[in-house]
Amino acid sequence: MTPESTEPAGPAGPAGPAGPAGPAGPAETAGPPETAGPPETAGPATAGPATAGGGARTWLRERTELGVCVLLFALGVLVLADALTMTVDIAQRGPVGPRTVPFVIGGLFLLVAVLLAVDVLRGGRGEAEGGEDVDLDEGADWRTVLLLTGVFMATAVLIGPLGFPIAGALLFWGSAYALGSRHYGRDPLIAAGLSLFTYFVFDNLLGVPLPGGPLMGVL
Amino acid sequence: MDSLNSLIDGFGTALTPMNLLWAAIGVLLGTAIGVLPGIGPAMAVALLLPVTYGLDPTGAFIMFAGIYYGAMFGGSTTSILLNTPGESAAVVAAIEGNPMAKAGRGAQALAAAAIGHFAGGMIGTILLVVLAPTVASLAIGIGAPDYFAIMVLAFIAVTSVLGASRIRGIASLLIGLTIGLVGLDRMTGQQRLTFGSLHLADGVDVVIVAVGLFAIGEALWVAAHLRRSTGRPIPVGRPWLGRADLRRTWKPWLRGPVIGFPFGAIPAGGAEIPTFLSYVTEKRLSKHRDQFGKGAIEGVAGPEAAASASAAGTLVSMLTLGLPTTAVAAVMLAAFQQYGIQPGPLLFEREPELVWGLIASLFVGMVLLLALNLPLAPVWAKLLQIPRPYLYAGILFFAAVGAYAVGGESLDLVILLVIGLIGFGMRRYGLPVLPAVIGVILGPAAEQQLRRALQISDGSVTGLVNTPFSVTVYAIVVLIVAWPLIGRLIVRLRAGRKTAEESRTVSGG
């Protein structure tokens, strides 16, 4: 398995990916789109030197998937680095130690990152997932995603001090608000009802404890 | 008729009031989930994992099985009345079912789908009863190298068969395997990818990964692209079938399961391919071929029966080999691991009460589903009007409850969100989610089996291929990997022959 993962690294890097890949690696995959890439692959599209800067930017925007390649590469480096810094001499049992599998996974990550980059440069695109409520014709609504992420993070912070009933209600109300619901009377009531109901079902009926917080202290 | 006796014992387990209640809750929840847009059965089972912490395993799995079958039933309702398939397996139902509903024959379409599911589920479950013990007894002597081979097969199949792009499937699998690495190495206690964090040393709980990828990732992804105008479901009465329709549907109901069951049992077969195959078959065999595309009832009956039968097929490989072939089976496997039960050939010997209770409850669930869905279809259709903000806020809410219930630590919520964002990115860039989940669930076990096998063979790689079973499995793996190459070769050969013939005719003429 190991040789399989290191050998075909040919197209991208001169050095074996296992060793000094750390600093050199990301630069390799990130490199083509910035400098060498546009004249080579998008050759017929670029008009002249004057529009080269803007052309490179749109070129990159159409290939944001290269960012995925960079992330995968970075993950591979991370896994390999973690395996390399392991001290294994303490309790090695059997011929295969705790480092082997991480080495294989890390190596495969580097390989997949490179192959995916090649695929993207050749014009391959990952197909965004459809769904019943998904409308892919319009651009992504980042504001909603950011709001939801913020609400969720706030819940993680507040669940300790405020307890589940309050934090859970805030999570539901905040999420519904972020998703576009504006019934200021109905939304909080539903949120509070759902949160309290869930708290009692989990705590009393299912035997899964959730923190009551100050509210339950009062009641 | 050993398995018949066991099945009768199983009915004894399944028909206790408590287990009947779980089966009923399961099919009700499952139908609701199938009808509701945005929630698939895998997400539902993942969200319910924490609920079952307080349950005995038998009750929990009876409920999960009810959800699995119920979601199949419910998914077709959405397809037919709204033309937006709730489950990928229900895509085909929309092709014929929705035109039927538009033409005022929605009640007949719903009935054909419901009875189709019933027939498919029944036939599939009977095949499960017949086949599963045999498969289990064949596989009973398998050891570490064989288990490792099966898991390699699962990895390869899930990345190669499903989805449009192999390389993206492999990337997804690697992400899952990496999450599975986090924590203490099970054999040496060595810390891996923990970065000194005590919390990460316990590893990332499978529940959090499954809920994060399926629920949070999905909710965020939908939130970014929420359809502002939701279609209006077509109003429908009580499902029923006339004699003329019955004459057209009974054969498709019986043919569908034959196509669906084997596809459910093979790795990454799932329900999409067999439903489509069944559709094509019915179209070819039908006397009313001109109606196809405009609302042919055979095109609803056959594929729906195939879908339910494939769910039963999935259970065969999950229970006998511990091999999950669909997302739901993967999450159910995680649930088995939570209870410390290892599905596999020994499951039928060690946990007969659980297995046969589960199988018997499938029959019970089928009857419950038919009784619930025929008269209640108009009520279920009302679920489609739930405001979308509440639906997705609810998903986020229950995901948070589930992740928090795992260990009562708010750090788990942060990990959940991070994994959810990974799931979001994967949906954006077309990385399939299923390989990642399979990687997390099977990865650690696969590593253990690999190391155990190599320990026995003293480090020699031949230790991985020294049984006929493992050699067979690897042969299948090679076939799957080489399939596109073989396909290309055949095309090229044909093309070559054609050009050769042409040149011959040219030179001859």
Side-chain angles (χ1 to χ4, degrees):
Chain A
M1 279 209 136
T2 329
E4 187 190 314
S5 64
T6 45
E7 263 173 40
E28 263 166 30
T29 40
E34 279 161 19
T35 52
E40 270 173 26
T41 43
T46 44
T51 53
R57 207 170 297 148
T58 48
W59 189 90
L60 260 184
R61 199 173 298 150
E62 281 164 20
R63 287 163 186 78
T64 48
E65 215 176 333
L66 288 172
V68 178
C69 306
V70 174
L71 278 179
L72 290 174
F73 202 96
L75 260 176
V77 172
L78 182 75
V79 173
L80 286 177
D82 185 73
L84 279 173
T85 52
M86 247 179 238
T87 43
V88 282
D89 39 304
I90 356 159
Q92 171 104 1
R93 263 184 248 142
V96 182
R99 299 166 72 169
T100 314
V101 172
F103 274 137
V104 173
I105 292 178
L108 282 175
F109 257 129
L110 304 188
L111 178 69
V112 164
V114 170
L115 288 179
L116 187 61
V118 170
D119 183 61
V120 173
L121 291 176
R122 275 189 190 159
R125 289 288 175 280
E127 209 176 301
E129 201 181 86
E132 297 159 293
D133 283 343
V134 174
D135 185 2
L136 288 175
D137 296 336
E138 284 177 36
D141 180 1
W142 292 108
R143 193 176 153 270
T144 307
V145 177
L146 277 178
L147 266 175
L148 286 176
T149 312
V151 168
F152 206 89
M153 278 306 291
T155 312
V157 174
L158 292 176
I159 199 165
L162 291 186
F164 179 79
I166 297 177
L170 286 178
L171 171 63
F172 185 88
W173 188 20
S175 306
Y177 180 88
L179 286 159
S181 182
R182 293 291 183 276
H183 298 275
Y184 295 107
R186 196 174 71 181
D187 291 356
L189 274 180
I190 292 178
L194 179 72
S195 196
L196 278 174
F197 177 76
T198 311
Y199 174 74
F200 281 116
V201 167
F202 269 75
D203 219 42
N204 298 341
L205 295 181
L206 292 169
V208 182
L210 292 171
L215 185 67
M216 291 302 124
V218 174
L219 289 180
Chain B
M1 281 291 100
D2 209 24
S3 49
L4 199 61
N5 286 331
S6 315
L7 183 63
I8 291 167
D9 289 343
F11 273 107
T13 312
L15 291 176
T16 56
M18 244 0 241
N19 287 338
L20 265 180
L21 180 70
W22 292 125
I25 292 177
V27 296
L28 278 175
L29 270 177
T31 313
I33 283 155
V35 172
L36 281 175
I39 312 183
M43 190 210 280
V45 175
L47 284 176
L48 282 171
L49 281 178
V51 176
T52 56
Y53 284 162
L55 292 185
D56 70 312
T58 312
F61 284 107
I62 286 177
M63 185 165 79
F64 288 159
I67 290 172
Y68 193 9
Y69 277 20
M72 292 263 180
F73 262 81
S76 48
T77 308
T78 328
S79 283
I80 291 167
L81 299 184
L82 203 61
N83 199 17
T84 49
E87 267 59 60
S88 49
V91 172
V92 176
I95 303 177
E96 297 301 328
N98 192 249
M100 280 183 75
K102 277 186 184 145
R105 279 168 44 80
Q108 284 80 358
L110 285 179
I115 301 175
H117 278 298
F118 180 76
M122 278 294 175
I123 295 172
T125 312
I126 290 169
L127 288 174
L128 168 69
V129 171
V130 176
L131 282 179
T134 320
V135 176
S137 64
L138 281 179
I140 203 120
I142 69 177
D146 308 304
Y147 277 116
F148 182 68
I150 291 177
M151 288 166 189
V152 170
L153 173 63
F155 292 152
I156 297 295
V158 82
T159 51
S160 302
V161 181
L162 287 176
S165 161
R166 275 187 181 201
I167 194 77
R168 290 174 179 82
I170 295 171
S172 166
L173 175 70
L174 288 176
I175 291 172
L177 289 174
T178 307
I179 297 174
L181 278 183
V182 175
L184 297 181
D185 173 35
R186 289 192 201 174
M187 289 179 116
T188 62
Q190 177 68 240
Q191 293 205 12
R192 293 195 295 195
L193 293 172
T194 59
F195 311 107
S197 157
L198 216 59
H199 187 86
L200 285 178
D202 290 338
V204 184
D205 197 287
V206 175
V207 174
I208 292 177
V209 180
V211 171
L213 286 178
F214 284 126
I216 304 274
E218 180 75 14
L220 290 178
W221 175 241
V222 176
H225 295 274
L226 192 58
R227 203 182 285 278
R228 291 302 162 196
S229 57
T230 40
R232 292 193 63 78
I234 299 163
V236 72
R238 237 183 110 146
W240 62 279
L241 277 180
R243 187 165 295 193
D245 285 325
L246 271 179
R247 210 170 294 137
R248 286 174 64 179
T249 47
W250 71 271
K251 277 187 198 156
W253 283 335
L254 294 182
R255 276 194 291 258
V258 179
I259 300 171
F261 185 83
F263 272 94
I266 59 171
E272 292 88 354
I273 302 169
T275 47
F276 188 72
L277 276 181
S278 164
Y279 178 75
V280 175
T281 312
E282 295 311 330
K283 190 174 176 180
R284 193 160 294 170
L285 294 174
S286 172
K287 284 182 197 139
H288 309 268
R289 204 179 297 178
D290 52 310
Q291 283 185 15
F292 271 80
K294 293 171 222 146
I297 198 164
E298 295 95 332
V300 177
E304 295 307 279
S308 273
S310 88
T314 301
L315 290 178
V316 174
S317 43
M318 210 266 285
L319 292 175
T320 57
L321 297 174
L323 178 66
T325 59
T326 61
V328 187
V331 182
M332 279 173 83
L333 189 69
F336 272 113
Q337 290 176 351
Q338 296 255 308
Y339 285 111
I341 301 168
Q342 179 63 49
L346 293 175
L347 187 68
F348 281 78
E349 278 184 16
R350 286 194 192 144
E351 307 274 348
E353 201 194 349
L354 169 67
V355 179
W356 289 106
L358 173 65
I359 293 175
S361 79
L362 295 178
F363 288 107
V364 177
M366 280 291 137
V367 176
L368 285 176
L369 275 170
L370 195 64
L372 274 176
N373 278 14
L374 276 186
L376 289 181
V379 183
W380 288 121
K382 287 218 168 60
L383 267 183
L384 288 171
Q385 282 153 5
I386 186 173
R388 294 301 182 265
Y390 291 161
L391 177 63
Y392 292 102
I395 291 174
L396 288 172
F397 174 85
F398 282 108
V401 175
Y404 195 77
V406 168
E409 289 185 63
S410 53
L411 190 58
D412 279 338
L413 289 181
V414 180
I415 297 175
L416 178 74
L417 184 63
V418 170
I419 293 174
L421 288 171
I422 295 176
F424 176 85
M426 290 170 73
R427 283 173 173 81
R428 163 70 181 80
Y429 287 108
L431 301 186
V433 175
L434 182 57
V437 174
I438 299 249
V440 176
I441 292 169
L442 286 185
E447 185 188 4
Q448 238 178 334
Q449 301 290 3
L450 168 73
R451 284 159 75 175
R452 206 172 285 160
L454 287 178
Q455 213 165 347
I456 297 167
S457 72
D458 209 21
S460 163
V461 190
T462 53
L464 294 178
V465 287
N466 58 5
T467 61
F469 187 93
S470 59
V471 172
T472 318
V473 174
Y474 284 121
I476 299 172
V477 169
V478 170
L479 202 67
I480 293 177
V481 171
W483 188 249
L485 291 175
I486 298 171
R488 220 173 292 161
L489 205 68
I490 293 172
V491 170
R492 196 171 298 164
L493 277 180
R494 261 191 210 151
R497 197 174 302 155
K498 203 175 274 175
T499 49
E501 276 168 18
E502 273 165 16
S503 62
R504 203 176 306 144
T505 50
V506 167
S507 62

